[in-house]
Amino acid sequence: MTEGARAGDDVNVAQAGEPEAASRREPGDVLVRVRGLRKHFPIRSGMTRRRAGTVKAVDGLDFDIREGETLGLVGESGCGKSTTGRMVMRLLEPSEGTIEFGGRDLTRLSRGQLRPLRRDFQMIFQDPQSSLNPRHTVGTIVGLPFRLQKVTPEGGVKKAVQELLELVGLSPEHYNRYPHEFSGGQRQRIGIARALALRPKLVVADEPVSALDVSIQAQVVNLLDDLQSEFGLTYLIIAHDLSVVRHTSDRVAVMYLGKIVEIADREDLYSSPKHPYTVALMSAVPVPDPARRESRDRILLKGDVPSPMDPPPACRFHTRCWKAQDICKTQEPPLAELTTRHQVACHFPENMPTEDGAGEAVLLAKPAPADAVAAGEGAEAVAETSAEAPAETSADGAAEPVAESSTDSPAETPAAASPKAPDEAPGKDTPPTPAP
Ligand SMILES: Nc1ncnc2c1ncn2[C@@H]1O[C@H](COP(=O)(O)OP(=O)(O)OP(=O)(O)O)[C@@H](O)[C@H]1O
Ligand code: SF4
Ligand SMILES: [Mg+2]
């Protein structure tokens, strides 16, 4: 996690203010290397259970996670985040692709071969209530990894469990209590203690705070941060809440309909989002300062997310993108490194630096004349000014994105969250329809 990510203990993560510039750690070696990862779920129907279709939940992901870093994975509900996390944990078999962990391809290992490696990667689940067996005591729950892996810690399992409880801010006396005797935040601490029992290298946290009361989200985020510093953990943090990702991640990957559309260092992504979908998501992030909030333009993406059973061809975002042109419907943009450590899958990215540093868009594909292109054919972006405090703190909230541009990041940058007028950009980006 980032140093600047630390929020006050009693502060909602979403309202913890702008993170300070993070001190960049030198990235370590690659711990996790994912290539061509796919998960297609067959859908069956009828008495004969014949195959009625395929959900392309994850459809070709490439990304690395380096030792000691936190990669945030963000996107709207149903875009494939949890499926990705579960495949990285090998709780779900990939349809295609490789997942290397410390140089070994996990997808080629049998269950037996995988078992001893499992202690190196552990998962924290979204719902601490359902992920803890209500019939087991805390001692049994947190001690389970030792028993499963047949590990006898020095001093015995009980002592080790009690130390873990203290580590996550619980009392050793909680050892004999049951999950229902704890609050949501405490239950998540129990889940964290269990995940850390065997001192894993990688922790996949799927929506680790979204089930928690906002008042304790920051406490859990800070705990994860402290534990990372203490044990040199590597995190994959999955969240639909952009504020959580912003406060926890060194790098952020943005997913849309089973694909990564943008991946970059956190500051770079938030100050200069390049994929139009990221721009829309970022502009929905709430700003604590009401004065700045009022000056933001908001982008409304029209329409629902298409079905992962029948995703749009080429660029999957083209049905909702205000910049879509013909090429977007016929040629899939590759996830390419457009600036240093910043990969984007878009033919017409935003916020590209120019030679004079003006920050105008640099087009990767030759656009059609502006008047020959329909405005995204149903993918209408609407800029509006709203004095309302945005309720949305999440990618879900931006499914009907209510995105704002503001004087702070990311809309501070010229093009962020403010789609250009036709004569403004050299590429004649298809403009959004201004709100009345
Ligand atoms: N076992 C399954 N069988 C069929 N479809 C599935 C299965 N698991 C997930 N899916 C589908 O795969 C897609 C991705 O699901 P996933 O749970 O990974 O999304 P997500 O990004 O984690 O969403 P959320 O933010 O709501 O948790 C969804 O369309 C979901 O309905
Ligand atoms: S400009 Fe084209 S390639 Fe880029 S996100 Fe929009 S539709 Fe996709
Ligand atoms: Mg999920």
Side-chain angles (χ1 to χ4, degrees):
M1 290 192 194
T2 57
E3 275 187 16
R6 188 174 179 98
D9 270 353
D10 55 353
V11 181
N12 170 14
V13 174
Q15 296 172 340
E18 305 300 319
E20 294 156 22
S23 61
R24 167 85 57 78
R25 280 194 304 270
E26 283 307 310
D29 293 337
V30 172
L31 180 65
V32 181
R33 189 188 303 273
V34 170
R35 293 292 179 271
L37 191 64
R38 286 192 163 77
K39 183 65 188 179
H40 291 182
F41 292 106
I43 300 299
R44 303 188 185 279
S45 69
M47 298 283 284
T48 57
R49 310 293 297 146
R50 80 186 159 76
R51 193 171 177 137
T54 304
V55 175
K56 295 173 180 169
V58 171
D59 210 15
L61 301 192
D62 298 323
F63 64 89
D64 295 337
I65 312 176
R66 293 184 173 273
E67 279 173 6
E69 80 167 350
T70 299
L71 177 67
L73 192 58
V74 71
E76 283 164 284
S77 181
C79 71
K81 305 180 296 293
S82 295
T83 304
T84 302
R86 291 170 65 206
M87 284 194 287
V88 169
M89 289 293 301
R90 269 259 349 233
L91 297 174
L92 202 56
E93 290 301 316
S95 307
E96 262 180 51
T98 58
I99 303 162
E100 282 179 26
F101 183 83
R104 292 183 76 178
D105 183 1
L106 299 183
T107 60
R108 292 178 181 276
L109 302 182
S110 66
R111 277 171 178 255
Q113 291 171 316
L114 200 60
R115 193 170 299 122
L117 293 183
R118 280 214 176 274
R119 57 184 299 173
D120 284 339
F121 45 94
Q122 295 289 323
M123 190 152 189
I124 298 169
F125 296 92
Q126 172 175 1
D127 185 358
Q129 174 92 33
S130 61
S131 66
L132 305 179
N133 189 328
R135 289 190 297 275
H136 287 171
T137 62
V138 170
T140 306
I141 291 168
V142 178
L144 188 64
F146 294 114
R147 295 184 183 96
L148 286 177
Q149 289 283 337
K150 298 184 173 47
V151 171
T152 309
E154 212 179 303
V157 172
K158 182 169 182 180
K159 181 166 172 278
V161 168
Q162 288 181 323
E163 283 170 3
L164 282 162
L165 293 178
E166 276 192 296
L167 188 68
V168 299
L170 295 172
S171 161
E173 279 134 42
H174 291 149
Y175 185 87
N176 285 316
R177 296 228 209 136
Y178 288 87
H180 73 268
E181 297 175 62
F182 294 87
S183 69
Q186 287 174 319
R187 279 196 287 261
Q188 192 58 300
R189 288 171 190 266
I190 296 168
I192 293 170
R194 175 177 59 185
L196 295 188
L198 298 170
R199 297 285 185 267
K201 292 179 182 156
L202 172 73
V203 173
V204 175
D206 190 356
E207 306 274 7
V209 297
S210 62
L212 304 180
D213 191 282
V214 289
S215 62
I216 50 175
Q217 287 185 349
Q219 293 176 12
V220 173
V221 164
N222 288 342
L223 173 64
L224 292 172
D225 194 10
D226 291 343
L227 294 170
Q228 181 174 47
S229 305
E230 191 166 347
F231 300 113
L233 297 169
T234 303
Y235 285 144
L236 172 61
I237 293 195
I238 294 167
H240 63 276
D241 188 325
L242 291 161
S243 304
V244 169
V245 168
R246 185 170 196 181
H247 280 279
T248 55
S249 305
D250 297 300
R251 285 190 306 133
V252 178
V254 181
M255 277 187 84
Y256 184 79
L257 260 185
K259 289 185 178 284
I260 290 178
V261 296
E262 183 159 9
I263 183 166
D265 289 340
R266 181 193 65 141
E267 305 112 274
D268 200 12
L269 190 93
Y270 278 81
S271 64
S272 180
K274 294 188 167 42
H275 195 283
Y277 177 63
T278 315
V279 170
L281 287 187
M282 294 300 167
S283 59
V285 174
V287 177
D289 181 350
R292 284 184 299 171
R293 190 163 62 222
E294 282 180 27
S295 65
R296 299 201 343 169
D297 289 334
R298 308 176 84 186
I299 301 171
L300 298 173
L301 290 184
K302 275 210 156 181
D304 293 329
V305 184
S307 165
M309 285 181 73
D310 186 23
C315 175
R316 292 185 173 189
F317 189 55
H318 81 247
T319 55
R320 301 170 81 198
C321 180
W322 64 90
K323 300 182 77 178
Q325 305 218 14
D326 285 345
I327 189 173
C328 307
K329 301 168 194 171
T330 55
Q331 281 183 34
E332 182 171 359
L335 187 65
E337 184 160 322
L338 300 190
T339 54
T340 311
R341 291 165 58 86
H342 195 142
Q343 292 174 281
V344 188
C346 177
H347 293 301
F348 308 108
E350 295 272 4
N351 293 319
M352 288 298 293
T354 52
E355 276 176 17
D356 63 2
E360 298 280 7
V362 171
L363 306 183
L364 301 184
K366 192 168 183 290
D371 56 5
V373 181
E377 287 181 13
E380 186 184 5
V382 179
E384 63 173 28
T385 301
S386 168
E388 270 180 19
E392 301 77 10
T393 62
S394 69
D396 283 351
E400 301 290 342
V402 182
E404 308 175 2
S405 72
S406 77
T407 49
D408 66 344
S409 70
E412 209 166 34
T413 49
S418 52
K420 297 176 180 66
D423 56 352
E424 205 177 10
K428 301 284 188 289
D429 301 351
T430 307
T433 308

